Amino acid sequence: MLIAALSTLLLIIYNCSDQIITTRERRYAKSREAAARTIREKTRARARWKAAKDAAKKHAVELQAQISGKFSKKTPANSDQVKIFNQTETETDDLSASMSPTSSFTQSGGKKTEHAHHTHMIYGMEDDSCSFEAYGKESQNKNIKKKIPKEKKFYTHSQIFKYAYSQLEKERAQQQQNKNLNFSGVISMAMNNDTRKRLLVEIAFRDLTVTLKGKNKNLLRSVTGKIRPGRITSVMGPSGAGKTTFLSALAGKAVGCMVTGMVLVNGKSVSISSYRKIVGFVPQDDIVHGNLTVEENLWFSARCRLSADLPKADKVLIVERIIDSLGLQAVRGSLVGTVEKRGISGGQRKRVNVGLELVMEPSLLFLDEPTSGLDSSSSQLLLRALRREALEGVNICIVVHQPSYTLFQMFDDLVLLAKGGLTVYHGPVRKVEEYFAGLGINVPERVNPPDFFIDILEGMIKTSSSSGMSYRELPVRWMLHNGYPIPPDMRKNMAELAISTVNINLENDSVTEEQSFAGEVWQDMKCNVERKRDMIRHNFLRSTDLSNRRTPSTLLQYKYFLGRVAKQRLREARVQAIDYLILLLAGASLGSLTKANDATFGYGAYTYSIIAVSLLCKIAALRSFSLDNLQYWRESASGISSLAHFVAKDTIDHFNTVIKPVVYLSMFYFFSNPRSSFADNYIVLLCLVYCVTGVAYVLAIFLDPGPSQLCSVLLPVVLTLIATQINATKYVKILGDLCYPKWALEAFVIANAEKYYGVWLITRCGALQKCGYNVHNWGLRIAMLILTGVVCRVIAFVGMVTFQRK
């Protein structure tokens, strides 16, 4: 009966796990779609009402003009006709404005009475239109947006979505008014207090140089400039010019490198990590959770990184705005996808990668080639979304690789780097062609300027002979143009600059002496040690928080992580079901092949059980931390709690810790039929699974997936062989006492031996003494297994925080 029940349960989980989540998400989507449909209908009704009101008003104005014209015809003098017409129209307007809806108007006959009736009808429409739609009242007060979350609480999904979509409709109407983005429209949006509410962050840098430690190779050299809030700064250059290094140096993520120069944040010499909560960094790779939907990825980032004081309705509004601006509405409920399982397209995945940073409303945003792999329309859609963020005061720095001309015109500033990390130009985009024209380098017609400049820096296009300019001179020309200090090794060529071409080695600033093989090995080891030291310093160094944003506490983030990890495990329920089926087969096989022997208290059967359970549970536990390392490193770098991440995964894995011993014993116990009770075997096996799961965490965090799987297979076998050595040397016995298989095996054997009484126990004590087991050590062995599991978890957490990559 138990076997049939477990098999039925596993089949249900295997087939219905996706349906549970899909049904829940479908019900949630219906609530959202119903709210959106209601708001759209109200918006269309409001538009129709406004059109009817305008038509009625136009009709009344025409009727008024006709009445005034008839009165003006009674005057015989044509010269005074216009004067009388204007006077009559003015009197009529004054009379209409002072008229109340209940007053009677009987002067000048029935025509004026009819005219007054139309006038009252117009003013009645204007009064009723204000109360025609409930959500339209917010537009009458600029500060009402801030008062709504405080005065009115939204409890249901429908209420929250109605509020969010009503705000989006008003934003679309505002964007329609400023569609052309003329000067007055941009100024009005920039000066709007309700829109511009983020902390402004400006970064100035002078003589910024990044040198690779150990090799003394300059990745970036003498870069001076400033990136300002409210502007989009593009960083371009040929491959190997140090574009990503430049972004990493500004974002404080340069590891294994020596950064020199001055970097000022808002005019102060502080670390950029002080503003980590409001700084977004979009990596070049699309690091997104593939087993979550688009909306789930964005919503988790918003909940963990937005201010804890922000109401849920406003968080929903922010997520909906980003989904709408990035064009992800059609795939919001689709899984992002992994290598094994197909999901959304590559362009949509890249936009989700950007959306993870946009939903936290950053004040400073770095993007590393977000348009690579996107078509022209998708790139423009992404840049429009970034443009809207820039209008709110966000400082955006983006690395692009040869953009189209349309995309190039959407940037405000340009940082053009040559090979070796030297600056060729840093200034407004609209002046770059003018600057190069002053050097005698003119962009040909029908040629994209970014492509032309990068081809010149690559040396693929020779400059005209009339200019006498080489592409290697361009960094020195820029330094001279701005009066920047020139490095000593480049200064010696300044005298030749005016008369001939300067040959400057831009890639290697110093000639390195040839070293021996041992010297090179020592140098590489030194570089690796320094890189690890930088990682530890980056991970543990915490600066004073200057972002003025209070993100959710660790406990609240733990709650969010629990929901996300549980959802991921449900989507992986088929894999879990296969693990359970393998445990069932292992329990049936070992239980039938190794019967419990009274002479040895089931010693052999329990030995094989420890190896099998350890091996299977370790391999399954590796998936908890080895599959999403990149996602964890990104989330941890953005300020999300590592403790909440670790504890939430361990909490969800406790489900397997509790269930897997039952699954295994449901077969093994009834086939082997030991004297110990089912409960005793379950307690020992429960502690064993808890212990080996902690060991698997350590392997998954400190080793790569391949070696960690190999160690998970070898460790149970090797440790069990060491722990079961009877005629071993002293040192082997000491080593065996430290192995968890000996503690588990001793607990199993003692639990079985305690069921023997009287002479049976006396005659069997020889076997216990031969193995070195003590009947009174059962509780101690259980405690040792639990303690090992706890210690391994602590080691795994410290390793995860210490040796994470940046």
Side-chain angles (χ1 to χ4, degrees), residues 90 352 382 675:
T90 304
V352 174
L382 178 60
R675 283 182 176 264

Side-chain angles (χ1 to χ4, degrees), residues 3-18 573-574 576-578 580-581 584:
I3 295 172
L6 285 174
S7 302
T8 304
L9 179 62
L10 291 176
L11 289 175
I12 292 174
I13 294 174
Y14 185 84
N15 292 296
C16 302
S17 58
D18 288 340
R574 296 188 175 184
Q576 303 288 338
I578 293 174
Y580 294 156
L581 289 174
L584 283 173

Side-chain angles (χ1 to χ4, degrees), residues 114 168 219 291 300 361 438 455 468 511 571 652 656 699 802:
E114 183 182 1
L168 288 176
L219 304 179
N291 51 3
F300 179 82
E361 291 198 331
D455 289 344
V511 180
R571 291 200 173 103
I652 297 299
N656 288 329
L699 296 176
T802 304

Side-chain angles (χ1 to χ4, degrees), residues 340-360:
E340 297 84 7
K341 190 174 182 179
R342 175 70 177 174
I344 59 178
S345 66
Q348 292 166 343
R349 185 186 180 94
K350 190 168 287 292
R351 279 178 273 163
V352 174
N353 189 35
V354 177
L356 289 178
E357 303 299 325
L358 292 182
V359 293
M360 51 85 66

Side-chain angles (χ1 to χ4, degrees), residues 387-402:
R387 172 60 61 188
R388 283 191 286 270
E389 296 293 317
L391 290 176
E392 296 185 10
V394 182
N395 190 346
I396 300 176
C397 187
I398 175 175
V399 172
V400 290
H401 187 69
Q402 291 184 280

Side-chain angles (χ1 to χ4, degrees), residues 391-437:
L391 290 176
E392 296 185 10
V394 182
N395 190 346
I396 300 176
C397 187
I398 175 175
V399 172
V400 290
H401 187 69
Q402 291 184 280
S404 63
Y405 183 75
T406 304
L407 213 64
F408 181 67
Q409 293 297 319
M410 297 178 72
F411 300 128
D412 297 311
D413 298 323
L414 171 64
V415 177
L416 191 59
L417 298 176
K419 285 189 175 181
L422 287 164
T423 309
V424 173
Y425 176 81
H426 179 24
V429 169
R430 63 179 183 275
K431 294 184 179 181
V432 60
E433 295 185 43
E434 178 183 349
Y435 169 75
F436 279 98

